[in-house]
Amino acid sequence: MQRVIFVDGAFVPAAEARVSVMDRGFLFADGVYEVSAVLGGSLVDNDAHLARLHRSLAEIGISDPHPAAEWRRLQEELVRRNGLDQGSVYIQVTRGAAERDFGFAEDLAPTVVMFTQAKDILGLAVRRTGAAVVTVPDLRWARRDIKSTGLLAQVLAKRDARAAGAHEALMVEDGFVTEGGSSSLLIVTRDGRLVTRPLSRAVLPGITRLAAMRLAAEEGLAVEERPVSVEEAIGAAEVLLSSATTFVVPVVSIDGRPVSDGAPGPLARRLMELYVAEARLAAERGPR
Ligand code: PDD
């Protein structure tokens, strides 16, 4: 079965999906994106992802092409047409196509592309083994709270991580971890607190991070938002990465130094169980 892609208002076979070479997303990375997980054919935490998409668009002055309910309908239609059980829905909205010029006309029609990617999120091998990560300087721009398609710094960070045999790069600024190349960082301190960097323009407001914080608090853990240094992370009881396409993944080494006993810890497993259980329950209840 050929993958079906949504482009500019139509569901088309992948081989027929086209955007202009003059698209400002292609020429300037003048656009934003969003990624929602799919579990058992249902979108996970999707309202929060759509709210962040709306905010990203507003921050760069592109009017949101659809109200949330319409986005959801299109995403669900795409999931259905692709028979997707587990994986993700990618949405990209760019400012549109025009003659190459830094300046833009206010009335450009945004380009909307959506596709699905199948992925065995629940069976990820790295969740069992734990992830090795390496630190890299955070080379990104000053508005990391916007989910921009300008991802060259992360592409290079992940290239370096892969070259070092690691699963993810931890981006570091002034001695503190900002976040992973495509994930949020959380640690469990030796006295049992969940700690993660506060939101600001320095990091993406991770949707899975927020769920992990809420679930940890419901489990009775103290949750603290403050910057985490590389040294504190290495000395932590547990280190976790969270993202829509991996949920929660334990980190077992940083720059070759083991975290705790070098094995996945109990909170990583517990948060994963709770997150999946909650997603399944929400799917049974259906959209509100
Ligand atoms: N990335 N930080 C960065 C820089 C990210 O790119 C991501 C997610 C996250 C986690 O956010 P969330 O929990 O909302 O997925 C944090 C997605 C998955 C991606 O680029 O594919």
Side-chain angles (χ1 to χ4, degrees):
M1 185 180 90
Q2 202 184 139
R3 179 153 60 161
V4 174
I5 291 181
F6 179 85
V7 53
D8 284 339
F11 292 93
V12 297
E16 291 165 29
R18 295 271 181 281
V19 291
S20 167
V21 295
M22 289 300 169
D23 196 273
R24 294 180 63 88
F26 179 59
L27 297 176
F28 297 109
D30 187 356
V32 298
Y33 75 107
E34 197 51 62
V35 182
S36 297
V38 173
L39 202 59
S42 295
L43 292 152
V44 179
D45 249 349
N46 192 49
D47 292 349
H49 285 284
L50 291 178
R52 187 172 65 188
L53 175 65
H54 187 80
R55 177 183 182 272
S56 290
L57 287 165
E59 290 296 313
I60 67 168
I62 296 178
S63 57
D64 194 333
H66 303 297
E70 176 65 3
W71 275 121
R72 172 180 281 280
R73 197 189 65 73
L74 294 170
Q75 288 169 297
E76 286 175 344
E77 172 82 13
L78 192 67
V79 167
R80 194 186 60 72
R81 286 186 185 233
N82 285 288
L84 184 70
D85 176 58
Q86 217 186 126
S88 57
V89 175
Y90 176 89
I91 300 178
Q92 177 167 324
V93 183
T94 74
R95 201 176 304 276
E99 191 58 32
R100 183 178 184 275
D101 186 356
F102 288 85
F104 54 86
E106 293 292 341
D107 60 354
L108 280 184
T111 303
V112 176
V113 170
M114 293 203 297
F115 55 81
T116 55
Q117 289 185 294
K119 179 176 179 177
D120 182 9
I121 300 176
L122 298 182
L124 277 185
V126 71
R127 188 170 308 106
R128 285 194 307 278
T129 58
V133 303
V134 291
T135 57
V136 299
D138 195 334
L139 302 178
R140 294 176 300 164
W141 70 326
R143 288 302 308 274
R144 301 160 190 163
D145 56 314
I146 298 170
K147 203 161 170 61
S148 157
T149 57
L151 293 169
L152 184 55
Q154 287 100 309
V155 167
L156 297 181
K158 282 173 176 282
R159 176 198 60 179
D160 292 351
R162 180 177 287 197
H167 170 83
E168 174 65 300
L170 287 189
M171 298 186 285
V172 177
E173 191 167 65
D174 303 325
F176 293 97
V177 179
T178 51
E179 55 193 327
S182 60
S183 53
S184 311
L185 178 98
L186 307 103
I187 66 163
V188 184
T189 60
R190 293 198 175 265
D191 61 354
R193 296 163 175 274
L194 185 76
V195 182
T196 184
R197 188 181 177 114
L199 297 185
S200 69
R201 292 183 169 190
V203 290
L204 185 78
I207 304 302
T208 324
R209 164 193 175 276
L210 201 61
M213 290 165 69
R214 178 175 49 73
L215 292 169
E218 286 168 15
E219 286 287 282
L221 271 82
V223 177
E224 227 171 87
E225 288 181 274
R226 58 172 175 75
V228 174
S229 70
V230 175
E231 282 309 310
E232 183 178 19
I234 292 171
E238 281 185 61
V239 175
L240 320 176
L241 298 173
S242 67
S243 86
T245 49
T246 59
F247 295 173
V248 180
V249 166
V251 172
V252 292
S253 74
I254 301 177
D255 291 338
R257 294 164 68 189
V259 171
S260 203
D261 60 358
L267 190 71
R269 180 176 311 137
R270 182 74 187 131
L271 288 179
M272 180 68 195
E273 284 167 4
L274 292 168
Y275 194 60
V276 170
E278 198 172 74
R280 291 216 158 109
L281 200 65
E284 277 167 27
R285 287 197 190 122
R288 283 166 297 143

